[in-house]
Every structure is written in C-alpha cells, then in structure tokens.
Amino acid sequence: MAQPKYLTGDKAGIEEFLSRFDVFLFDCDGVLWSGDHIYDKVPETIEMLRSKGKQLVFVTNNSTKSRADYKKKFDKLGIPAEVDEVFGSSYSAAVYIARILKLPAPKNKVFVLGESGIEQELDAEGVQYVGGTDPAYRRDIEPEDFTNIANGKLLDPDVGVVLAGLDFHVNYLKMAIAFQYLQRGAIYLATNTDSTLPMAHGFFPGAGSAGAGVEKAIGRAPLSLGKPSQAMMDAIEGKFHFDRKRTCMVGDRLNTDIQFGIDGKLGGTLAVLTGVSKKQDFLTEGAPTVPTTYMDSIGDLMG
Amino acid sequence: MAQPKYLTGDKAGIEEFLSRFDVFLFDCDGVLWSGDHIYDKVPETIEMLRSKGKQLVFVTNNSTKSRADYKKKFDKLGIPAEVDEVFGSSYSAAVYIARILKLPAPKNKVFVLGESGIEQELDAEGVQYVGGTDPAYRRDIEPEDFTNIANGKLLDPDVGVVLAGLDFHVNYLKMAIAFQYLQRGAIYLATNTDSTLPMAHGFFPGAGSAGAGVEKAIGRAPLSLGKPSQAMMDAIEGKFHFDRKRTCMVGDRLNTDIQFGIDGKLGGTLAVLTGVSKKQDFLTEGAPTVPTTYMDSIGDLMG
C-alpha cells in the first residue's frame, strides 16, 4: 500500500488534489465539528469548494437526526448546506426500505428501535412503522407481556422489517418484541452499527451497542445501511449519480469513513486528524486501512 | 467420542449409573420444571436420590432469583430442597467477588446491571453495590447526563467491578454508566451470558443479550460466573468439596449444562430431553457436545 500524501501546507499538492475530484463526501462529526464546536475555517473551506463547482454530500451515521435536523445544525454553526446535500444513515435506511426492498403490502411495516430521526425519514419515504418514539413501548416489561409477545398478541401482524438505530430509550420490552419479530422472519436492518458514540469529550454506547442485545439474542447481524456498508454507498450513488473515480471521501475514522471510501472504489480518500483516528493508525507498517491523503484539519484545504 | 447411553427403561443401566455417583449437579429449568409446570415424578426422584445418600446441588444460571427466591419456587412446586443446596449464578458471582477477587477497600463496590436476586446475594456476602434496582437508575438519559457521566460526576468513585446479569430494566443510562466504569478500569463480570431466556413457551433476551450493549461498547467479554464457565464449577467445588469423578451433571442444554460437566471433568453427564436440546443434537456424527448418558425425562430415574 502506497504511503498517504500529507497535504497540510503543500499548496501545489492541494491544487492537484482538488483538480482530481468533482464530488466530496464529507463525514461531519470529527471533520467539520465536535459537538457544538466548529473547527477552524470550515465555512470558508466549504464555500471555496462550492466556488470551484464541487458537489458536496454530507454523509453521517448519526441515526437520531433526520436530514432536516442536520440542516438546523449546519445553520446554527454557520456552515452553508442544503437538506438535499445531507445523507444520514436514517435516510439511507428509509431509501433502502422504500426503493430497494419494496416489500409488498400489507406485510411491509417497520418496527423501529430508535429516535425521531428515523421516523421522520421513514415518513418522508412513505414507509409505515410502529415502535420508535411511541410511548406505548417506553415502559417496563410486565409479567403478562411475556405471554402476549410469545403468542403474538402484542405484535403488529404487518411488520416485515426490524430497523435498529441509536435508541436512547432502549428497554427490555422493545428488545423482546424486536427479537420476536425476527424469530417470525422479519428482515433485520440497522441504520449503522458503530459501537461507540463520541459525546461530551467521552465515549457512549453507539447504535451498534444499543442494538447489540437483539443481535445477540437472534444470533445474526443486521444489514447495516450506514458507513462502511456499501449499501449506503449504493444509496448515495443512486441519488447523486456521481463518477466514483472523481469522488473523494473525507473523514476522521479509518474503520468507517476511510474504509467506506476504499470499499466503494472511490478515486481517493482524505483523512483529517481532528477526530478519532490518529496518523500513527495509518502510517504504521501493516495498518489495515490507509487513506490516499491526509491533513491536520479540513481548514488546511484553504492553503 | 463414545455414543451416550440411553437409560430410559433400562433398570440395570440406571442402577449401575446411580452407583457411580455420590453427587448430582442439577440444572432446574427444563429438567425439573418448565415455568410453573413440574415434570412427572420429580419430587419422588429427588427423594429417591436423597434416600440413597446422594448429595444434590441445584445449579442455575437464572440471575434474577436469589437462593432464597429459588427455595420458595421449590416449596411451591413441592420439591424438597434446602437453600444451601441451591447454587445460582448470582450467588456464584457474589462468592467470586467476596472470596476470590477480594478487592481492597475502598475501591471494591459493584455496579450492578440486574435485578434483586443479585442484590440479595451480594448483601449475603457483605459486598457493597450501587445500581441494580435503585430507582435513580431506572430513568431516561437526559442531555446533562452525558457530561456528568463523562466527567465522572454521576459515578461512584469506589466502584471497582461491573457485574452484568439479566436486567429486565436495562436502559441507555445504565449502559452508559457501566461503559464509563469499564473505560476507567473496572473489572468486568457477568452472572452468566445466555443469549436467550425460555419463557411463556417462547424465547426472550437472556442475560447475555441484556448485557450485550455494554460488551459491544467496551469491545471485550465479561468473565462469566455461570454455566458453562468453570469459574462457577470452581465456586461450587469450593463450597461442597466433592470428588469430580463421583459427580454427575444433569441438564437439558448441551452448550451450557452438559458442556459445563465435560469441561469440569466430571465423572459423567446426563442429558434429559424435556428442555431445549433434542437427542439429534448429540446423536449426530460430529456433534460438538455429547453427554455420557441421556433419558427422556428425569422421572425415568425411578425406573
């Protein structure tokens, strides 16, 4: 594997790099911002890319937010962006269910383990669902529930899909119901399977961990519609119709962002060092995932 | 591997079998009863074994019940048993923490993911704990909790162990706190790691599934104190001082009960067909776990 090219401070290198791509897929958290802290020169960098006619897509695994929620975050931080440029794992899952899976009615409802971001994207794609933020599922399991789940009384007969995302309201009742749907043959999807969620300068259980109970119970993994799953790349390509050789993935995580670009056979990948992965992680001999280029922070693209 | 001997209806075989053992380790659910349904001739069989001077130990992975809770269940079903004959995974974990781990004070508290059965056994062994059934942890996570967990404000500085059992009140707050304790170096234990729990003629998430979120987040498995972990066998032996060659494990699950006996190098194992595993599971060429004997139901020991 060739050594990645270091672009910070390399004006000629940056110019050559920019000339090679028409489309940039951006991870957000760890690249543009960390929580509510925006990194240096991010709005200017985004403007500069737009002024050069580059197409931008913001690709995020955070399933708790819809594209509309994300647009608000961009606005709040002063980063120019359109809703249609945001591609989240909830949207990815909704598109996959509505346009690729296309289950015949009536058995085409989705049981949602997750927050309102998933519900909004399913609504936007016209997909019916149960679970999610419905208060009826946000309660302790009671003794009679075991029988009513096992015999199907507590289930919706039209559920054909279980979709697991990051659920801050995960509980045993929902796990038991999801497990029962899967035992009865429901298709098993996840918005993403990240094990951790960086928050408040710490690490918290991610979507993959919130959903790990159901995965362990049924004994098989869901199809993930988030990075690095190529189901997400296919969905992005289906919407934006880009030339993969003229597309670059920008991200801070080697095992999700950069791997996503490599597996998608994109023309290039750019790792930034403002987030999770450090340069030793890919400069070391035998590193499993190596970007084609890297820089200290995305603002360094301004030269 | 020798074929297991079928004992149902084989009077001479049963006599020879009984003569080879002084101690019988009994799994309960699937062997003696299923839920509140007791199998045929169970009390008589237990009485018969006692009349022959056999020592009986009831070994269960159910961590939601204490030994005292189990004693009540035996009484209710009319099976003669003493509290001291019950060895549950909660008790196993409490004994391991109090008598083997013996962490020096003050950093020797346990953060409990589980129900009152664990708390009762920790109390009985004089182990301090937080979490468990405390209502303060049975709530939704709030935005400020993320900061207070990450900076340690919501944590007890004396916690040195995370103990995960079957928690019917699992939630994101407890998962996040347990994950934070583990990131800070707490020892990671589980009462047991069964993926499923047979209930109401169906399957529900077991202790291993309720705890899978924390396991996935931290990226390593807990030390299990339940079957088939030999930590449990060592704890049983530490209490009862039996001769392993004169001891037989009786159970319905090949991958927990029978494997537990095989790994423990017991003199024999007896599979009964009233529970989870079927005879095809061990009579098939190349089956991974094969008992030395089997019978249709435990009552067949009466001849």
Side-chain angles (χ1 to χ4, degrees), chain A residues 138 140-141 143 145-147 149-151 166-173 175-176 179-180 183 193-197 199-206 208-210 212-218, chain B residues 138 140-141 143 145-147 149-151 166-173 175-176 179-180 183 193-197 199-206 208-210 212-218:
Chain A
R138 290 187 173 176
D140 291 342
I141 195 163
D145 290 325
F146 288 95
T147 303
I149 291 169
N151 68 18
L166 180 50
D167 187 357
F168 292 124
H169 300 79
V170 57
N171 63 31
Y172 191 88
L173 178 72
M175 285 171 55
F179 180 32
Q180 185 63 228
Q183 289 176 77
T193 54
D194 300 49
S195 63
T196 61
L197 174 76
M199 285 269 280
H201 308 288
F203 287 100
F204 288 81
S209 295
V214 175
E215 179 172 337
K216 168 114 182 180
I218 196 67
Chain B
R138 289 188 173 175
D140 290 342
I141 195 163
D145 290 325
F146 287 95
T147 304
I149 291 169
N151 68 18
L166 180 50
D167 187 358
F168 291 124
H169 300 79
V170 57
N171 64 32
Y172 192 88
L173 178 72
M175 284 171 54
F179 180 32
Q180 186 63 228
Q183 289 177 77
T193 55
D194 300 51
S195 63
T196 61
L197 173 76
M199 284 268 279
H201 308 290
F203 287 100
F204 288 81
S209 295
V214 175
E215 179 172 337
K216 168 114 182 182
I218 196 67

Side-chain angles (χ1 to χ4, degrees), chain B residues 25-71:
Chain B
L25 308 183
F26 272 94
D27 176 45
C28 301
D29 197 71
V31 175
L32 306 178
W33 62 66
S34 169
D36 284 332
H37 168 72
I38 186 171
Y39 296 131
D40 270 358
K41 297 195 237 172
V42 165
E44 301 92 307
T45 305
I46 299 296
E47 288 286 19
M48 177 273 289
L49 291 169
R50 287 194 201 288
S51 74
K52 289 184 184 297
K54 310 298 184 190
Q55 178 165 31
L56 308 182
V57 185
F58 301 100
V59 183
T60 165
N61 269 6
N62 186 334
S63 67
T64 64
K65 288 193 172 70
S66 67
R67 287 167 301 152
D69 293 333
Y70 255 90
K71 165 68 173 146

Side-chain angles (χ1 to χ4, degrees), chain B residues 88-111:
Chain B
S89 62
S90 289
Y91 179 61
S92 178
V95 166
Y96 180 84
I97 292 167
R99 306 188 199 178
I100 297 173
L101 211 52
K102 287 193 277 195
L103 290 181
K107 209 171 168 67
N108 57 358
K109 272 193 198 171
V110 176
F111 182 70

Side-chain angles (χ1 to χ4, degrees), chain A residues 17-18 23-29 31-33 42 45-50 54-61 70 74 79 85-87 227 236 247-252 257 260 266 270 272 295 297-299 301:
Chain A
F17 168 79
L18 291 175
V23 181
F24 289 88
L25 309 183
F26 272 94
D27 176 44
C28 301
D29 197 72
V31 176
L32 307 178
W33 62 66
V42 166
T45 305
I46 299 295
E47 288 287 18
M48 178 272 289
L49 291 169
R50 287 192 201 289
K54 309 298 184 190
Q55 178 164 30
L56 309 182
V57 184
F58 301 100
V59 182
T60 166
N61 269 7
Y70 255 90
F74 277 92
I79 306 172
E85 293 174 328
V86 180
F87 208 99
K227 295 175 286 184
I236 298 173
T247 299
C248 179
M249 176 72 208
V250 185
D252 69 306
D257 302 323
F260 180 63
L266 301 187
L270 170 61
V272 294
M295 44 176 52
S297 72
I298 194 65
L301 271 183

